[in-house]
Amino acid sequence: MIRESFMQAVRDAGSLAKQHALRANIHVKGKSDFVTDADLAISQALGGAFARIAPGSRMLSEEAEPVDGIHGKLFIVDPVDGTTNLMYGMNLSAISAAYLEDGVLRLGAIYNPFTEEFFFAEAGKGATLNGEPIHVNEDATLADALLGAEAGPATLGTQQLFFQQLFALQSQSRGIRWTGSAAVDLAYVAGGRLSACVFHYLYPWDYAAGWLILKEAGGMLTSAQATEPDLRRRSGLLIASNTRLHPALMELFV
């Protein structure tokens, strides 16, 4: 069964993130953009495991060669979402893995091996944290909400307006938290720890698993124009929420 083998493969890969020698060996990809030997080792381990779990499948990973389209059996993986956090020992990093069939999300897992928190969802069957059901919170207004935000290095030159909008959001809410990991943010919205989160952009491996987990927990992920993300390319601004806050956030970030 793909479900159980998928979950076990993600758990097994977590041990690689905790190995000091792997996370200490750092390679620079670009300004504020890094990869560690842990990222590379996890990508390789999951690639091998998923090939055995689903023969004929492909894997789209931040640390692997691109794939052509999202047809067929496809795994979308971020080996370590929150690599900079990993480098600094902040324990806010996660393995994010999703399984799709012909473009439809079927399974999603976000695993933080440092806190031993395993967020999981199967399409149509709800979302869990370490096997226990989770659901988004019921915050109905920005004044009642604790929010998250992320803005990565790929769009540094175009983030001024985004930060101006966040300033307005900060004054209307209970505050904004930056975890440094989109996967962690999405899991936290799904579990009610955050009411919503705003992302300046995301790649498919950043959000594929979290999107399914959030959806199965009663939340939603869209653009500011209410369109769904396109798993074939980098997104623009995305909003994840408990659904109640979505209209107010779309109005602010449109």
Side-chain angles (χ1 to χ4, degrees):
M1 177 103 181
I2 287 181
R3 179 182 187 274
E4 300 302 326
S5 299
F6 171 84
M7 295 172 70
Q8 190 59 52
V10 175
R11 288 188 182 278
D12 291 345
S15 63
L16 297 173
K18 300 170 80 170
Q19 293 182 25
H20 177 75
L22 291 177
R23 67 176 188 265
N25 196 5
I26 301 162
H27 313 277
V28 179
K29 295 166 65 177
K31 181 177 173 58
S32 301
D33 193 8
F34 309 96
V35 62
T36 68
D37 280 359
D39 297 76
L40 301 174
I42 291 170
S43 184
Q44 183 177 13
L46 289 177
F50 292 156
R52 292 189 296 272
I53 291 169
S57 64
R58 299 168 299 136
M59 187 176 83
L60 173 62
S61 170
E62 182 177 11
E63 311 306 341
E65 293 298 317
V67 299
D68 179 22
I70 58 173
H71 56 278
K73 298 177 181 179
L74 178 68
F75 294 91
I76 300 181
V77 173
D78 193 339
V80 179
D81 191 63
T83 296
T84 304
N85 290 347
L86 184 75
M87 290 161 47
Y88 282 84
M90 294 180 66
N91 294 346
L92 275 172
S93 304
I95 298 166
S96 176
Y99 174 63
L100 296 77
E101 291 181 354
D102 292 324
V104 178
L105 286 163
R106 299 296 187 188
L107 303 172
I110 295 172
Y111 178 42
N112 182 341
F114 302 99
T115 60
E116 296 187 359
E117 291 183 317
F118 193 96
F119 295 84
F120 177 77
E122 182 174 1
K125 296 188 178 181
T128 61
L129 168 57
N130 293 343
E132 296 297 322
I134 57 172
H135 200 272
V136 295
N137 68 36
E138 298 183 359
D139 293 342
T141 67
L142 291 177
D144 295 326
L146 182 65
L147 307 169
E150 302 291 346
T155 59
L156 282 173
T158 62
Q159 293 176 5
Q160 184 174 354
L161 175 60
F162 181 68
F163 278 91
Q164 290 172 347
Q165 293 164 324
L166 288 180
F167 180 78
L169 191 60
Q170 169 78 7
S171 66
Q172 297 179 45
S173 68
R174 287 179 168 165
I176 299 175
R177 301 292 182 264
W178 297 73
T179 70
S181 167
V184 170
D185 292 328
L186 289 165
Y188 282 6
V189 177
R193 296 176 184 176
L194 292 173
S195 313
C197 191
V198 183
F199 308 93
H200 194 242
Y201 72 92
L202 292 177
Y203 288 98
W205 46 79
D206 295 320
Y207 70 85
W211 185 10
L212 180 61
I213 293 168
L214 177 60
K215 184 184 297 186
E216 289 294 320
M220 61 191 301
L221 176 71
T222 75
S223 71
Q225 292 76 37
T227 59
E228 290 192 339
D230 185 343
L231 287 166
R232 296 170 296 180
R233 56 181 58 89
R234 191 181 82 184
S235 76
L237 187 141
L238 292 178
I239 298 169
S241 85
N242 61 6
T243 72
R244 296 168 181 81
L245 296 173
H246 230 76
L249 291 168
M250 286 194 297
E251 182 177 346
L252 184 61
F253 285 94
V254 68

